[in-house]
Amino acid sequence: MTITYNIFATLARVLSDVFFSRKVVHPERMIEEGPLIIAVNHSSFVDPPLAGICSKRAVYYLARRNLLEWPILGPLFPDMNVIPVERDGNDMSALREVIKKIREGNGVVLFPEGTRSRDGQLQPAPPGIGLVIAKTLAPVLPMRIFGAYEAFPRDSKLPRCRPITVVLGNPIHFTREDIEPLTRDTYQKLSDRVMKAIAELTIDG
């Protein structure tokens, strides 16, 4: 964990506790060692740090490449484990880097829906996360964030003080049989299975 990562993770914990009264349900379900895909619903700009700080170890994130052009923060993103991806999300180099990081035994935060929801509701997932699962056979920890849309929706310029609850589900472990045959249909079924697990999480756990 870099100093930069540690500083911003600590800052994220403090700010989310103060402004969002952050509550984490079933934190004991987090896997702290070995390869891991943290699969999270996506409705707000605050989702990545909220998901990442549930882990005690440093995890990796995908973020739009143009964010690295931001003044001050942009140059720091590589030290915060950000993997840049092209805006349209169709970036095979970023996908290969994600797979590499997972195979090396790291945790990676992925948003199966691909982009932030416009209404706060869960969206269908494209086959992307299914492909990552098939290439790594890493366990998937489903996670659902409640209240982030109300606190900082997609079209808002400033966050609001609203309570946020992060719920961790039971890890999903996949077998070789689950990923065969290696086709787009299989990847889509894996993605659908992950989204179903996210959808089944409730604010009470």
Side-chain angles (χ1 to χ4, degrees):
M1 184 182 297
T2 66
I3 294 175
T4 302
Y5 188 104
N6 191 35
I7 289 172
F8 277 89
T10 300
L11 185 62
R13 289 187 181 97
V14 171
L15 293 178
S16 60
D17 288 345
V18 171
F19 291 103
F20 303 135
S21 301
R22 178 177 65 107
K23 177 183 177 184
V24 180
V25 179
H26 292 308
E28 75 281 357
R29 291 175 174 171
M30 176 59 67
I31 297 174
E32 297 290 1
E33 294 183 352
L36 176 66
I37 299 168
I38 303 173
V40 196
N41 65 306
H42 200 13
S43 63
S44 172
F45 183 72
V46 299
D47 293 332
L50 284 170
I53 61 177
C54 287
S55 178
K56 295 175 184 177
R57 61 171 164 169
V59 295
Y60 287 82
Y61 308 84
L62 281 173
R64 295 197 312 271
R65 188 176 298 277
N66 64 337
L67 295 183
L68 275 68
E69 300 171 3
W70 282 7
I72 303 176
L73 277 180
L76 298 176
F77 281 141
D79 283 339
M80 295 159 64
N81 289 359
V82 168
I83 300 171
V85 62
E86 295 301 336
R87 187 178 182 88
D88 61 7
N90 188 21
D91 188 340
M92 290 306 297
S93 64
L95 190 60
R96 284 193 291 270
E97 185 66 15
V98 165
I99 292 169
K100 178 184 174 210
K101 292 299 183 187
I102 295 171
R103 285 175 173 171
E104 289 174 347
N106 296 290
V108 177
V109 174
L110 294 179
F111 298 102
E113 298 158 287
T115 188
R116 283 173 290 169
S117 169
R118 292 192 175 277
D119 59 5
Q121 301 301 307
L122 296 180
Q123 308 298 308
I129 193 171
L131 172 61
V132 176
I133 293 168
K135 294 293 185 180
T136 63
L137 269 183
V140 174
L141 183 87
M143 180 184 292
R144 189 167 180 181
I145 302 175
F146 293 90
Y149 177 78
E150 290 75 15
F152 203 170
R154 179 170 180 158
D155 297 325
S156 178
K157 296 188 181 300
L158 292 172
R160 310 160 187 160
C161 292
R162 300 286 190 276
I164 290 179
T165 299
V166 184
V167 183
L168 283 65
N170 288 309
I172 307 170
H173 296 273
F174 297 89
T175 66
R176 288 286 175 188
E177 289 73 21
D178 292 326
I179 66 171
E180 294 177 352
L182 294 175
T183 64
R184 185 180 178 86
D185 285 344
T186 299
Y187 302 153
Q188 186 61 62
K189 288 177 182 177
L190 293 170
S191 294
D192 293 342
R193 181 174 169 184
V194 171
M195 282 307 301
K196 182 175 183 291
I198 294 173
E200 288 174 348
L201 295 175
T202 66
I203 198 165
D204 298 318

